[in-house]
């Protein structure tokens, strides 16, 4: 009997446990969305059904599918450019880019119904020459799994987990570990999308990338830990 296999099994389980502790620590951390407006600017926004909000003090904004959003901002000095970005895993995707020379500006109207079939939780960040701010928008009357982000999250998480389990029964070769890392990343991204749609994980927090990173670590460790191949006879 190969006595090294039980040792390798226990070591892999311990290392996998460390990776899981890291992931659980991330999920147990408090929701980190913080709306701040810096640079001496002020910003307010209105929703046609849900009312107005002061973007300088609110950490999140709960709206409805029927809402139409508009925003206004003022600055102490003229601003020559302004940008709005949607954040996903801390990575900004352009939403608006304006050029000008003014101490005030406006954005909108934005119909929530045009966006909430893609996602129900939206992290938006704005920047100008001297000011910046952010807000987390949550659509209360839309279910997490009714959005494309939620559906893709479920599919990716399930496929990734199934892939990780499958690699446990493969011979622990280099190619199996590469496959394990890929499916681990897919599982982590899917899990992250689901947590964002449930308003548990802040889309603006780049630490959310620890989920696919942790999945890659698991994918590197797990291949072969349940492999029961033939062992070469001892001389």
């Amino acid at each position: 009997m190969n006595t090294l296999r039980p040792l390798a099994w226990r070591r892999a389980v311990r290392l996998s446990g460390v990776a899981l502790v890291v992931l659980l620590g991330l999920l147990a951390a408090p929701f980190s969305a913080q709306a701040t407006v810096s640079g001496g600017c002020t910003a307010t926004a209105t929703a046609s059904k849900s009312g107005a909000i002061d973007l300088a003090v609110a950490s999140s904004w709960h709206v409805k599918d029927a809402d139409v959003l508009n925003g206004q901002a003022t600055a102490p000095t003229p601003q020559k450019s302004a940008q709005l970005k949607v954040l996903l895993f801390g990575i900004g995707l352009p939403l608006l880019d304006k050029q000008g020379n003014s101490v005030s500006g406006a954005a909108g109207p934005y119909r929530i119904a045009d966006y909430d079939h893609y996602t129900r939780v939206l992290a938006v960040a704005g920047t100008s020459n001297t000011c910046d701010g952010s807000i987390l928008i949550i659509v209360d009357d839309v279910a997490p799994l009714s959005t494309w982000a939620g559906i893709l999250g479920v599919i990716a998480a399930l496929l990734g987990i199934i892939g990780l389990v499958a690699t446990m029964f493969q011979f622990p070769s280099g190619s199996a570990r590469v496959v394990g890392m890929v499916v681990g990343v897919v599982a982590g991204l899917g899990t992250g999308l689901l947590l964002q749609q449930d308003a548990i994980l802040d889309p603006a927090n780049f630490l959310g990338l620890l989920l696919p990173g942790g999945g890659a670590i698991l994918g590197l460790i797990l291949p072969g830990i349940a492999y029961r191949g033939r062992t070469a006879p001892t001389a």
Side-chain angles (χ1 to χ4, degrees), residues 1-133:
M1 178 179 179
N2 188 352
T3 58
L4 294 179
R5 185 165 297 280
L7 293 176
W9 175 282
R10 288 194 293 270
R11 180 177 297 177
V13 170
R14 285 196 298 268
L15 292 174
S16 300
V18 171
L20 288 173
V21 167
V22 172
L23 296 181
L24 291 174
L26 170 66
L27 301 183
F31 197 75
S32 60
Q34 295 295 327
T36 57
V37 176
S38 62
C41 293
T42 62
T44 59
T46 58
S48 58
K49 302 293 183 181
S50 303
I53 190 172
D54 185 348
L55 298 177
V57 298
S59 61
S60 61
W61 190 11
H62 291 263
V63 298
K64 299 183 182 301
D65 172 76
D67 272 319
V68 178
L69 308 187
N70 287 276
Q72 304 82 34
T74 60
T77 58
Q79 307 291 297
K80 296 182 179 180
S81 65
Q83 298 83 34
L84 283 179
K85 293 183 179 181
V86 175
L87 301 172
L88 184 65
F89 291 101
I91 301 171
L93 306 174
L95 180 64
L96 174 71
D97 191 342
K98 282 188 174 182
Q99 306 296 319
N101 188 15
S102 175
V103 296
S104 64
Y110 296 109
R111 294 178 65 247
I112 290 295
D114 291 338
Y115 301 94
D116 60 13
H117 53 283
Y118 299 110
T119 178
R120 68 176 290 267
V121 178
L122 197 66
V124 180
T127 59
S128 64
N129 295 102
T130 62
C131 300
D132 60 78

Side-chain angles (χ1 to χ4, degrees), residues 176-210:
R177 298 191 189 281
V178 170
V179 171
M181 292 177 67
V182 172
V183 296
V185 169
V186 171
L189 287 173
T191 302
L193 284 175
L194 285 175
L195 293 174
Q196 289 175 11
Q197 291 307 295
D198 284 321
I200 296 173
L201 184 65
D202 180 7
N205 192 344
F206 74 94
L207 290 178
L209 292 174
L210 289 177

